[in-house]
Amino acid sequence: LPLIRAYRMLTGRNDLLLRSTRQAPWPAATRLVQPWLKRLAQGYVGLAVAGLLVLLLGGAQGRRRLGWAMLILVGLRVGALAFVGAVESRYLIEILPLLLVLDGVALAAAGSAIYRLLWSASLRSQ
């Protein structure tokens, strides 16, 4: 049950900014964006998990330590909230920057892998 709560909390529509004012400033834009918020959350959480795996499975010891630190920081926050049943996405605002950093790690690792693949292919063709 706490794992399901954590998943729902991480991938829920975080529309706090869109509904924080009395009247949404751009009602048409808000209605257009609202259905995509869940997919966006699933995407950046998936990338964050990939980035965490890159750090944890990386070769350098410093990267693994950073991965464990990130896992502990995010895991404790999400785990504590899921355990007590506070499952609204707004409680995760503090860890969103960490998730975005992990997204960057995943994208950088993917870009680096593509670059190495293309570089080795160009060397073989010469």
Side-chain angles (χ1 to χ4, degrees), residues 29-103:
T30 301
R31 282 191 302 274
L32 183 67
V33 169
Q34 200 87 19
W36 294 96
L37 290 177
K38 185 168 178 71
R39 295 278 185 206
L40 178 67
Q42 289 171 335
Y44 73 72
V45 168
L47 270 175
V49 169
L52 188 60
L53 289 175
V54 165
L55 289 176
L56 288 174
L57 302 175
Q61 179 136 357
R63 286 174 62 177
R64 284 195 303 267
R65 286 182 182 163
L66 179 62
W68 280 109
M70 295 286 238
L71 178 66
I72 290 168
L73 288 171
V74 172
L76 282 177
R77 177 72 176 186
V78 172
L81 290 173
F83 186 72
V84 298
V87 293
E88 289 191 39
S89 298
R90 65 185 172 139
Y91 297 127
L92 295 180
I93 295 293
E94 294 86 3
I95 66 163
L96 284 181
L98 291 177
L99 294 178
L100 294 176
V101 166
L102 289 171
D103 291 346

Side-chain angles (χ1 to χ4, degrees), residues 4-47:
I4 294 170
R5 286 184 195 150
Y7 175 76
R8 286 188 181 153
M9 184 175 22
L10 283 168
T11 60
R13 292 185 326 181
N14 193 356
D15 60 351
L16 183 64
L17 293 175
L18 295 177
R19 59 185 165 98
S20 64
T21 59
R22 189 181 284 179
Q23 172 117 10
W26 306 290
T30 301
R31 282 191 302 274
L32 183 67
V33 169
Q34 200 87 19
W36 294 96
L37 290 177
K38 185 168 178 71
R39 295 278 185 206
L40 178 67
Q42 289 171 335
Y44 73 72
V45 168
L47 270 175

